[in-house]
Amino acid sequence: MDTTSILSERINNLSESATLKMTKLGRELAAQGANIISLSVGEPDFNTPDHIKDAAKKALDENYTRYSPVPGYPELRKAIVKKLKEENGLDYDISQIVVSTGAKQSLSNAILCVINPGDEVIIPTPYWVSYSEMVNLAEGKSVFINTSIASDFKITPQELENAITEKTKLFMFSSPCNPTGSVYSKEELAALVDVFEKHPQIYIISDEIYEHINFKSKHESIAQFESIKDRVILINGFSKSYAMTGWRLGYLAASKEIAAANDKLQGQTTSGTCSIAQRAGIAAYEGGLESVHKMKEAFERRRSLVYDALRDIPDVKVNLPEGAFYFFPDVSAFFGRKDEDGNIIENSSDLALYLLNKAHVATVGGDSFGNNDCIRLSYAASDQQLIEALRRIKTALGKLK
Ligand SMILES: Cc1ncc(COP(=O)(O)O)c(C=O)c1O
């Protein structure tokens, strides 16, 4: 241990977010004049719909500028309850909803509320970069279930059963998934629920932030299964569906006990989230799904475009993701090859850096998502940018010998 450092072990042990790091590196190269195409960030390239922006402007004029209740304005929580009922068929009371400064905060709060030091948290890999770091912050222990492209990056009930020990407290996953775009069907979720029914001490964090970007069918939430619903901590937000990443607005829906714990934690840390963002959130949920569907259509078109381009690159293995806006191709065939300067590509981060420096395309190495065979490409970019980025990637990969 470095006894001269002012920094806590907690923060020293925390990794920097790989997605944010690649985005930063890309911005630095762009500032030096390079024409960088960024496929590293997880945000829609659309602007927030006008009716939502108008509600924020109105909120300012109406002086929604003071502290809001810690779990959010009652009108917003009511709109969330209505949305969960109408879109997802889920019954919640307003007291079970806690609005936060982004789904990221809800995830972190939820973990802090249920995890004691040494508790085990089962996380299927690949997972969203922050999951395991949030578990570390809470002094829990991540237990990974590895998946691969061969199973569309989904786990089986048997694999779940095998990962459970007497210390397991939590299971956390996203469907549609970041980084793979995989979507669990109702039948697949039901099979996992059969396992959870046998282990009543396990809580489930269900991250449903990509629910509207689902090309397979209607969204299925694991909270629909009454036998375990009280143990599900449902996480959602406005960032991805409504192109509102900068507004920082998310929420969780959970049992009254867990919601009250989150309220208490938030009350001692950040308090209620931005008042203007909350008023905008009400307009988002009351304004219908037209803009959401338009964005989804654009993502679906781009998905086909990128899928065809990736399949055209020799030695890249790719599956067709059913949701979100990411591809997670297996690029392990390139490991061990050399670039033109004689540097060996050892792993997925090396490959992502190579693509950034030589092809000027920012991606993210899969190792930071817990899978070193793959890289993540976000297709939240224009069609022209995607075509050009994939052309550059193909050329650059072709140069590795
Ligand atoms: C799976 C997943 N969960 C949560 C979040 C965080 O969303 P928010 O912007 O609401 O904090 C992201 C953002 O990238 C994500 O990909």
Side-chain angles (χ1 to χ4, degrees):
M1 192 177 77
D2 178 5
T3 49
T4 58
S5 172
I6 182 70
L7 300 178
S8 65
E9 281 179 50
R10 184 181 306 113
I11 201 67
N12 281 333
N13 289 337
L14 192 71
S15 306
E16 192 183 344
S17 160
T19 45
L20 297 181
K21 188 170 156 193
M22 281 307 279
T23 306
K24 196 165 93 186
L25 282 177
R27 281 191 186 136
E28 280 166 14
L29 276 180
Q32 291 162 25
N35 170 13
I36 302 292
I37 302 178
S38 177
L39 306 186
S40 62
V41 287
E43 72 177 339
D45 56 319
F46 303 106
N47 293 323
T48 303
D50 285 341
H51 67 283
I52 301 175
K53 292 195 284 194
D54 289 343
K57 291 176 198 163
K58 187 159 168 268
L60 263 180
D61 289 339
E62 290 175 355
N63 290 311
Y64 279 100
T65 53
R66 298 173 201 277
Y67 287 131
S68 68
V70 173
Y73 287 120
E75 301 92 306
L76 176 55
R77 287 188 291 152
K78 270 187 208 148
I80 293 169
V81 165
K82 187 161 169 268
K83 173 251 182 276
L84 290 170
K85 177 74 188 163
E86 288 174 1
E87 289 179 17
N88 309 106
L90 301 173
D91 284 306
Y92 284 99
D93 182 76
I94 177 174
S95 62
Q96 295 179 273
I97 310 294
V98 181
V99 174
S100 66
T101 304
K104 203 171 202 170
Q105 187 189 17
S106 292
L107 285 162
S108 162
N109 281 355
I111 293 168
L112 286 172
C113 284
V114 299
I115 291 302
N116 282 316
D119 283 346
E120 292 181 359
V121 181
I122 298 178
I123 307 176
T125 73
Y127 53 85
W128 183 47
V129 281
S130 298
Y131 287 178
S132 61
E133 295 303 326
M134 288 174 179
V135 171
N136 286 346
L137 272 182
E139 296 178 53
K141 181 173 172 253
S142 300
V143 173
F144 299 111
I145 304 178
N146 292 324
T147 68
S148 73
I149 203 162
S151 61
D152 272 337
F153 302 106
K154 288 192 256 187
I155 62 163
T156 63
Q158 192 56 53
E159 287 168 331
L160 174 61
E161 186 73 68
N162 294 347
I164 292 173
T165 74
E166 60 196 17
K167 289 194 180 152
T168 308
K169 185 79 183 283
L170 200 57
F171 172 81
M172 68 190 291
F173 77 122
S174 60
S175 175
C177 174
N178 176 5
T180 64
S182 299
V183 176
Y184 282 86
S185 67
K186 184 171 179 181
E187 293 68 34
E188 287 164 338
L189 290 175
L192 299 181
V193 169
D194 287 343
V195 178
F196 292 125
E197 281 175 357
K198 287 189 257 163
H199 301 276
Q201 83 283 10
I202 302 177
Y203 279 69
I204 298 118
I205 290 187
S206 176
D207 181 347
E208 305 183 15
I209 188 106
Y210 293 96
E211 71 158 313
H212 285 300
I213 310 170
N214 178 342
F215 314 112
K216 176 177 164 154
S217 53
K218 86 173 187 27
H219 175 67
E220 299 290 352
S221 170
I222 198 164
Q224 72 187 279
F225 299 96
E226 279 304 321
S227 61
I228 59 151
K229 181 170 174 239
D230 250 17
R231 293 192 270 141
V232 174
I233 306 172
L234 188 159
I235 309 284
N236 208 331
F238 296 75
S239 288
K240 317 289 175 175
S241 300
Y242 293 88
M244 289 177 71
T245 46
W247 299 73
R248 310 310 303 128
L249 192 63
Y251 59 89
L252 64 74
S255 69
K256 287 188 182 175
E257 186 186 15
I258 289 183
N262 272 267
D263 185 351
K264 182 164 80 170
L265 176 59
Q266 214 162 273
Q268 293 290 18
T269 51
T270 55
S271 297
T273 192
C274 169
S275 52
I276 312 295
Q278 289 191 58
R279 303 313 297 182
I282 298 170
Y285 272 4
E286 286 180 349
L289 290 169
E290 197 189 329
S291 55
V292 175
H293 290 155
K294 264 199 201 135
M295 289 190 256
K296 186 183 123 181
E297 274 164 30
F299 284 132
E300 193 158 14
R301 189 186 62 244
R302 294 163 180 183
R303 179 180 71 144
S304 308
L305 197 153
V306 175
Y307 186 52
D308 291 345
L310 281 172
R311 281 199 304 172
D312 190 43
I313 305 178
D315 295 336
V316 169
K317 275 193 245 160
V318 63
N319 68 337
L320 184 66
E322 292 172 324
F325 41 69
Y326 307 103
F327 274 85
F328 203 61
D330 184 323
V331 288
S332 55
F334 296 93
F335 301 165
R337 297 190 195 176
K338 285 186 188 154
D339 69 12
E340 286 165 315
D341 306 324
N343 301 312
I344 299 179
I345 303 294
E346 307 269 13
N347 52 42
S348 59
S349 279
D350 283 357
L351 194 77
L353 273 177
Y354 169 72
L355 291 176
L356 179 65
N357 289 322
K358 300 290 182 193
H360 288 170
V361 178
T363 61
V364 189
D367 46 0
S368 36
F369 302 93
N371 180 318
N372 187 35
D373 290 337
C374 303
I375 55 169
R376 190 191 76 170
L377 310 175
S378 156
Y379 53 92
S382 71
D383 294 22
Q384 290 78 359
Q385 281 179 315
L386 291 170
I387 291 166
E388 173 60 10
L390 270 298
R391 188 195 64 74
R392 291 187 196 174
I393 291 175
K394 184 177 179 185
T395 308
L397 290 180
K399 288 185 182 157
L400 291 174
K401 299 292 173 208

